[in-house]
Amino acid sequence: MRSPSSSRNKVVNVTPCCTKIGLKKGPWTPEEDEILTNYVSKEGEGRWRTLPKKAGLFRCGKSCRLRWMNYLRPSVKRGHISPDEEDLILRLHRLLGNRWSLIAGRIPGRTDNEIKNYWNTHLSKKLISQGIDPRTHKPLILNPNYPIDDNNKKANNEINTIDPNPINYIPFQMEEPSRSINNNHSGEITSLDGCQHHNSNAMFASYGDDDGMNVVVSTERDDEMNFCVDDVFSSFLNSLINEDMFINCQNQQIINGTLQDFDPFMASFDQINPKRMDE
DNA sequence: AACAGCGGCAACCGCAGTTTC
DNA sequence: GGAAACTGCGGTTGCCGCTGT
């Protein structure tokens, strides 16, 4: 792997996202890395906006956070993605779509940025070469947007003999979950082990985000909601990751043309947040 | 050896959600 | 309740190194 900080030391000037003139942009130097690492080790993560000034860095807070999260954190695993990790990414992407932070949260030591890059540079191409639409994880319909070679024509022809009408291939993409999955900025809700976490307004269950952020499934505070939401979501993910049921079922439904009827994620998600059923 | 094209990846940008006042 | 500030996420950019010609 290329040295991430020393290989590109050109300093481009001011970043538009930073209001202050004179802030540095571009690759980080080893000196900057050291300053940031020392500061975060001493003071802890968070307060990114004020961190650069306190640490003596001429960077915007966003840049500091990104550098720490994606590269400097001790828990970040460097090196090649193993076949097991690759398989996991594929399964999680099929389930979650481009929700890189969620995917990263299930793969220890990997960052959302790393997984996103790996997906875009390796896995999406790999799937395309296998005649699979990387967005939907279903066989590619003959589509001018995806150049396919002779080997892949076979796969496309086969699926087209099942049903040539693309409308029957509903993309298996989970519904936008932003209403139900919230980012927690308070730093109060943390663990995978705790089932319930309370703040002033809501009950939360969290599943750890590997970026050190806490992605939580929130529900209205409700005494009837006394099951462990975290366990439900976590075990649901694990079940999908570890079993072939999903694949078999999906394949079967492709053949039957009824894929849209099967959505285990939403089924489970509705357990987590029953209010969704009414929306 | 020189050049062009491509791939990989770190970093940036804009937006949206959350928190604070 | 609304505005401002803060934080995090996903999409995109752009640089560097590698490879082919």
Side-chain angles (χ1 to χ4, degrees), chain A residues 94 137-139 159 162 169 244-259 262:
Chain A
R94 183 177 54 214
H137 292 264
K138 290 199 292 295
I159 190 63
I162 295 170
Y169 300 106
D244 290 328
M245 176 274 292
F246 176 80
I247 301 168
N248 294 337
C249 192
Q250 189 177 352
N251 288 341
Q252 185 62 42
Q253 304 236 2
I254 287 172
I255 292 168
N256 295 339
T258 57
L259 180 64
F262 177 69

Side-chain angles (χ1 to χ4, degrees), chain A residues 27-81:
Chain A
W28 281 64
T29 65
E31 291 76 23
E32 288 177 311
D33 283 347
E34 190 180 351
I35 292 171
L36 180 57
T37 302
N38 289 340
Y39 185 87
V40 175
S41 301
K42 197 170 140 189
E43 304 292 334
E45 295 180 19
R47 300 177 298 280
W48 298 108
R49 195 84 166 187
T50 56
L51 184 150
K53 191 177 179 181
K54 290 180 179 175
L57 287 166
F58 296 97
R59 295 275 183 173
C60 71
K62 271 183 155 185
S63 182
C64 292
R65 177 188 163 273
L66 200 71
R67 184 63 178 168
W68 173 257
M69 294 296 189
N70 288 336
Y71 195 80
L72 297 176
R73 268 188 311 153
S75 59
V76 172
K77 190 198 292 182
R78 313 303 304 179
H80 289 104
I81 305 275

Side-chain angles (χ1 to χ4, degrees), chain A residues 95-131:
Chain A
L95 175 67
L96 298 168
N98 290 0
R99 289 178 172 80
W100 307 115
S101 64
L102 291 179
I103 295 171
R106 308 293 301 183
I107 305 174
R110 300 296 182 185
T111 68
D112 54 355
N113 206 36
E114 187 176 15
I115 290 169
K116 178 172 59 182
N117 283 334
Y118 189 74
W119 179 268
N120 288 331
T121 55
H122 293 93
L123 293 181
S124 64
K125 291 170 188 172
K126 186 176 177 181
L127 288 180
I128 290 169
S129 75
Q130 293 171 353

Side-chain angles (χ1 to χ4, degrees), chain A residues 29 126 168 186 194 235 276:
Chain A
T29 65
K126 186 176 177 181
N168 285 335
S186 68
S235 61
R276 292 179 54 85

